[in-house]
Amino acid sequence: MQTMTSSFPSRLYLLELAHLEDSGIPFPGYLVQTSDGTNILIDTGWPQERIGAYKQPGGTGLHMDEADFVVHRLATLGLRPSDINVLICTHLDPDHAGNHDAFPEAELVVQREHYEFAKASSDSRFLVNRQHWDHPSLRYRLIDGDMQLLPGIDLIKTSGHCPGHQSVLVRLPETGPVLLTIDAIPSQADLDPEQRALSPYDMDEAGVRASTRKLVEIARRERVTLIIHGHDPIQWKTLKRAPDYYL
C-alpha cells in the first residue's frame, strides 16, 4: 500500500456508470483527485457482465455500454486500475460494488457494520455480486462511524438504506463543500426527513429518516454548496460529468 502524504481534494469527477432506459435514473461513481496526485474512487457500478443487458430479450431496462464500465471511464481520464489508491465502498449493493475486484491494488474503505452484515447476509442483493466485492485479492480497511479519511474528505455513516451505508463530504478549493449522499438521500425530492418516500430497497425506515436528518444538518452546518444525490435523473442532467470536473 502506498503511503499518502498530507493533501487536499483538488478535483471531483462524476462518472456515469449506467442508467435506466425508461426513467434515466443514473448509476454514478465518483473520483476525487488530491493535490499530491492521490486517486480516490467512490463505488464501481454494475458488474462488467451487465454490459449490453438492455439489448437482450427480456432485459431489465438497464443501459450499460462498454464506455460505462468503470475501468473504461477511468481510462478516458488517463487512469488505469493500478492508479487508484483508495476505493471508498459506500455499500455493497450490486449497482455500487460490481467491479471492486478490478482494483486489487487499492485499499478498500468500508464501514465495519456494513461489511460484516453483507458477509453474513443471505439477501440476494449482496449474494448476486459477492464474487466481485468478496474477492480474496482485496484489502479492506474496516472503519467504525464517521471519520476523516484525508484532509477535506469525510466519511459519514448513514445507515437505513442498509446497515453501515456511508456518504461522503468532499471539500473542494473553488466549489466548496460537496456532499455525496449516495443512497441515503437518492433524490432532491427526498430531503424532508419526515415526508420523504422510501424505496423498496431501504431496509430500515427509522434509520433512513435519521440519516436524512443527519445529512441535512451536516449540509447546513458545513455550508455545503452542492448536494449530489445518488439516483436523481433530473439533477443528473444539470451536473458536470467526466471528463468535466468540479474544482
Side-chain angles (χ1 to χ4, degrees):
M1 182 180 68
Q2 293 176 267
T3 300
M4 290 178 291
T5 58
S6 180
S7 61
F8 296 88
S10 59
R11 291 183 179 185
L12 171 65
Y13 291 90
L14 278 56
L15 312 173
E16 181 165 332
L17 304 181
H19 66 270
L20 291 184
E21 282 279 280
D22 54 350
S23 63
I25 288 174
F27 297 95
Y30 310 90
L31 174 72
V32 180
Q33 292 185 318
T34 69
S35 54
D36 72 344
T38 299
N39 293 301
I40 301 162
L41 181 63
I42 304 170
D43 290 342
T44 61
W46 290 100
Q48 186 178 15
E49 55 263 30
R50 292 292 189 105
I51 290 172
Y54 69 100
K55 298 176 181 176
Q56 299 169 7
T60 62
L62 178 71
H63 186 121
M64 183 179 175
D65 286 325
E66 285 285 348
D68 298 324
F69 177 41
V70 64
V71 172
H72 297 163
R73 284 287 181 211
L74 291 171
T76 66
L77 304 177
L79 297 175
R80 300 164 299 177
S82 59
D83 294 320
I84 300 302
N85 305 98
V86 178
L87 171 54
I88 296 174
C89 311
T90 66
H91 60 303
L92 298 170
D93 278 351
D95 57 324
H96 293 262
N99 301 287
H100 284 12
D101 53 336
F103 302 92
E105 297 179 48
E107 178 183 59
L108 282 69
V109 182
V110 67
Q111 292 287 332
R112 183 186 309 275
E113 179 185 16
H114 182 66
Y115 181 77
E116 292 180 349
F117 179 84
K119 287 273 282 189
S121 179
S122 59
D123 193 320
S124 61
R125 67 194 280 180
F126 302 118
L127 293 178
V128 69
N129 203 42
R130 186 162 182 159
Q131 72 271 27
H132 295 298
W133 62 260
D134 197 23
H135 194 277
S137 68
L138 298 178
R139 298 178 295 105
Y140 278 94
R141 176 184 173 191
L142 306 183
I143 65 171
D144 298 293
D146 300 355
M147 66 163 287
Q148 182 185 82
L149 178 67
L150 291 173
I153 303 177
D154 295 343
L155 304 182
I156 306 163
K157 188 176 180 182
T158 46
S159 295
H161 179 67
C162 53
H165 177 282
Q166 60 184 350
S167 304
V168 187
L169 180 65
V170 182
R171 295 178 176 86
L172 293 171
E174 295 184 13
T175 306
V178 178
L179 183 59
L180 308 177
T181 62
I182 316 300
D183 284 3
I185 310 180
S187 77
Q188 296 174 97
D190 300 321
L191 282 165
D192 185 330
E194 310 311 323
Q195 301 299 320
R196 61 161 292 176
L198 273 69
S199 87
Y201 300 101
D202 290 331
M203 302 181 79
D204 173 18
E205 179 176 354
V208 166
R209 300 197 187 283
S211 289
T212 304
R213 284 192 293 272
K214 178 178 182 178
L215 289 174
V216 169
E217 171 56 23
I218 287 172
R220 183 199 64 78
R221 184 181 72 236
E222 299 292 332
R223 299 182 180 179
V224 165
T225 56
L226 177 61
I227 299 175
I228 297 178
H229 301 278
H231 299 291
D232 188 330
I234 297 173
Q235 183 192 41
W236 189 246
K237 293 177 182 177
T238 71
L239 298 172
K240 297 179 183 179
R241 284 168 274 172
D244 203 355
Y245 52 84
Y246 289 91
L247 285 171

